[in-house]
Amino acid sequence: MELKISLLLAIIAIIMPTLQGQVKIASAPQDQANTAPPLQGQAMAMPPPREVSDELEWWKLQHKKAYESSVSVVHPEPEEEVSNFNQDVHLALDGSNSTRRGLGKKYKGECQAQNPIDKCWRCRANWAKERKKLAKCVRGFGRNTTGGLAGDFYVVTDPSDNDLVNPVPGTLRFGVLQPRPLWITFAHDMNIKLKGELLVTSDKTIDGRGATVHIANGSGISIQFAHNIIIHNIRIHDIVPASGGMIKDTWDHVGLRGADDGDGISIFTSHNIWIDHLSMWNCKDGLIDAVSASTAITVSNCHFTRHNDVMLFGASDKDPRDEIMQATIAFNHFGKGLIQRMPRCRFGFFHVVNNDYTHWEMYAIGGTSHPTIISQGNRFIAPPDPKAKQITNRNNVVGEDWRSWTWRSEDDLMLNGAYFIESGAPLKKKPSSKYLIKAKPGSYVRRLTRFAGFLRCTEGKKC
């Protein structure tokens, strides 16, 4: 993942002349290339290929614009967002007396929503007629993400992914490349094996409710130079690296892609991203990686299992642009077969709140390059291995430098010998903050994360 843009540009400069002689790309009239196409029934018209020098400049420009866009959404007082989030949790649990989750038991009772995100939409029988209400439910640093709220619905009817340069109408790839906001749903259960990275463009919602959708046994999802994206209620697993090649990455651009890493979801210089109610496991590299000045991210209500490097925020100690990274990790269940990086952070500000850590083999939360990590109200159950009881892991530390990093644990529940090594100063109230609300303690986590992961939702019934 490190230095991916530089490597990509170098590959383009070396290989593009050869590929231009081998790959046939249909040229589109200038007016057609700039006109939004119909959603169904018509294949994409391809723009003419650019010269190598133009292609290099195009990539540099997109990267510059995306970085400037990320900078514009950074919260100036991240502690204030921590307080706002915790207040929402208190309000959601006010008066709640539900039983807690029985791990390993399938819940068959009445719909119950315990955390503020789920309580916003889940227990409504007409959720399918009010799908877009979901966009009002995000909390944390991704709070302003609306996805395809302002757009039409697009229904995926075809699970194939056979043409990376000219995607077929009805496929997921065709939908995510549209140059307009779209709320994407699925006509029926489907297994989608991606032949190459699925590059999701701005202002999209991928909404898997009402179907069982697997993205598996092929490439993963990439969000690059994009913003305002929701990915909700699908399963992503067994992702493998693809060799790259020519792939359509926006409506009017076909670009050369290098080999990908095999991430489930890769976020690159993008912002306002909400990942919710996913079940993810067994990808070649990371389950979720966010790098290169990505920010305004919320990962919530997900279930992670059977994986080594779970989540990475910031790919290089040499990329201080990740100082602007702000992410909320909330209401997730880190389950069986996990080893490390839940998450691993560089630079940036990370609110890790009300998650259930029932398994890890090396460590749970790690980092380098002085990130701020606020751990609040999580439950940590340490593994039997006496050498793996420590929750935290600081990488590439020089001397006592780590002692100045702000890593704080507040109201976490630590079981089976788990312990969190704190550093830095406690959170302080900012002048413009009226209050700093404490998180619900870790003893509430089982109910807050009870329905983490993919949900089986049936139209006409509460989800």
Side-chain angles (χ1 to χ4, degrees):
M1 184 66 72
E2 297 183 16
L3 304 178
K4 192 170 183 180
I5 278 290
S6 298
L7 290 173
L8 181 60
L9 295 175
I11 292 170
I12 291 170
I14 295 169
I15 301 178
M16 182 63 81
T18 301
L19 285 177
Q20 284 180 334
Q22 295 176 347
V23 180
K24 295 181 179 179
I25 304 176
S27 297
Q30 189 63 36
D31 58 344
Q32 186 176 359
N34 295 325
T35 302
L39 296 183
Q40 303 285 358
Q42 180 177 323
M44 294 182 175
M46 297 297 106
R50 293 179 173 89
E51 295 296 329
V52 174
S53 59
D54 293 339
E55 186 73 3
L56 291 170
E57 289 304 315
W58 186 88
W59 279 107
K60 292 177 182 178
L61 178 60
Q62 300 313 304
H63 198 194
K64 180 177 182 292
K65 289 165 59 177
Y67 175 71
E68 292 172 350
S69 185
S70 287
V71 170
S72 72
V73 301
V74 172
H75 199 302
E77 296 184 1
E79 293 89 346
E80 189 171 62
E81 185 56 46
V82 170
S83 288
N84 293 339
F85 186 96
N86 292 338
Q87 181 185 36
D88 288 340
V89 176
H90 279 267
L91 292 174
L93 284 173
D94 186 33
S96 171
N97 61 358
S98 66
T99 57
R100 298 178 181 178
R101 179 181 72 210
L103 291 175
K105 297 180 181 179
K106 185 176 180 180
Y107 181 76
K108 297 181 179 179
E110 289 293 319
C111 178
Q112 295 179 355
Q114 298 301 316
N115 68 60
I117 292 174
D118 278 2
K119 206 161 189 177
C120 177
W121 72 270
R122 263 197 55 224
C123 294
R124 300 172 183 268
N126 63 344
W127 63 265
K129 295 181 179 179
E130 297 180 347
R131 282 183 180 271
K132 291 186 177 182
K133 181 177 176 60
L134 179 70
K136 305 293 186 181
C137 300
V138 61
R139 301 291 189 273
F141 285 110
R143 67 199 177 284
N144 292 324
T145 307
T146 58
L149 177 64
D152 296 322
F153 285 95
Y154 171 89
V155 181
V156 178
T157 57
D158 182 351
S160 72
D161 188 46
N162 297 323
D163 195 333
L164 306 184
V165 173
N166 190 15
V168 176
T171 61
L172 178 58
R173 190 175 297 275
F174 185 91
V176 298
L177 290 172
Q178 298 295 312
R180 66 184 77 170
L182 280 183
W183 197 280
I184 299 170
T185 64
F186 298 83
H188 50 76
D189 297 351
M190 58 183 68
N191 296 317
I192 300 175
K193 181 178 179 179
L194 298 170
K195 297 293 181 64
E197 294 174 87
L198 183 75
L199 289 138
V200 183
T201 58
S202 298
D203 304 313
K204 302 294 185 296
T205 296
I206 299 176
D207 180 359
R209 288 175 294 176
T212 299
V213 178
H214 295 257
I215 294 180
N217 304 305
S219 290
I221 295 173
S222 292
I223 302 170
Q224 179 174 314
F225 308 154
H227 61 270
N228 197 31
I229 293 169
I230 298 172
I231 304 176
H232 179 76
N233 207 50
I234 60 176
R235 290 169 166 165
I236 301 174
H237 57 94
D238 296 294
I239 300 301
V240 296
S243 58
M246 299 300 290
I247 300 178
K248 195 167 182 62
D249 46 47
T250 63
W251 176 256
D252 60 355
H253 182 259
V254 176
L256 176 67
R257 308 291 299 183
D260 65 64
D261 299 324
D263 296 324
I265 299 175
S266 175
I267 306 168
F268 194 99
T269 321
S270 299
H271 64 83
N272 289 105
I273 311 297
W274 181 27
I275 297 169
D276 186 57
H277 274 295
L278 302 193
S279 290
M280 302 183 72
W281 66 92
N282 196 37
C283 299
K284 180 64 176 178
D285 192 26
L287 293 182
I288 300 173
D289 283 8
V291 303
S292 191
S294 294
T295 193
I297 299 167
T298 293
V299 179
S300 57
N301 291 306
C302 293
H303 187 202
F304 305 108
T305 56
R306 295 165 43 201
H307 198 75
N308 182 5
D309 300 329
V310 181
M311 285 193 286
L312 176 67
F313 291 94
S316 174
D317 295 327
K318 298 178 181 179
D319 192 358
R321 291 174 301 176
D322 282 329
E323 293 277 6
I324 71 169
M325 189 176 292
Q326 297 175 336
T328 301
I329 315 299
F331 313 135
N332 302 289
H333 179 199
F334 295 92
K336 294 180 180 179
L338 299 182
I339 297 177
Q340 61 179 325
R341 298 188 178 184
M342 306 172 226
R344 186 190 191 281
C345 309
R346 286 181 171 94
F347 305 103
F349 188 106
F350 304 91
H351 188 202
V352 183
V353 56
N354 293 142
N355 300 283
D356 201 3
Y357 292 83
T358 58
H359 299 79
W360 72 81
E361 293 186 22
M362 291 178 61
Y363 67 89
I365 299 171
T368 186
S369 298
H370 58 82
T372 295
I373 300 175
I374 308 302
S375 174
Q376 293 185 318
N378 300 289
R379 183 175 77 148
F380 297 102
I381 304 176
D385 184 354
K387 298 179 180 179
K389 301 292 186 182
Q390 185 181 156
I391 296 163
T392 50
N393 181 56
R394 292 166 175 85
N395 308 100
N396 302 326
V397 174
V398 178
E400 298 294 300
D401 178 63
W402 66 271
R403 294 187 180 278
S404 66
W405 303 358
T406 301
W407 290 28
R408 309 302 302 179
S409 170
E410 300 178 358
D411 292 317
D412 289 324
L413 177 63
M414 305 182 198
L415 303 175
N416 200 33
Y419 65 99
F420 188 111
I421 296 182
E422 293 187 293
S423 60
L427 276 180
K428 294 182 179 179
K429 188 185 300 183
K430 290 284 185 176
S432 63
S433 299
K434 295 180 180 179
Y435 42 72
L436 189 64
I437 295 175
K438 295 181 67 175
K440 277 292 185 182
S443 57
Y444 284 80
V445 159
R446 293 177 69 185
R447 72 182 73 176
L448 290 167
T449 64
R450 182 174 189 171
F451 301 100
F454 171 80
L455 297 168
R456 295 186 181 277
C457 300
T458 302
E459 291 192 21
K461 297 182 178 180
K462 297 177 181 180
C463 192

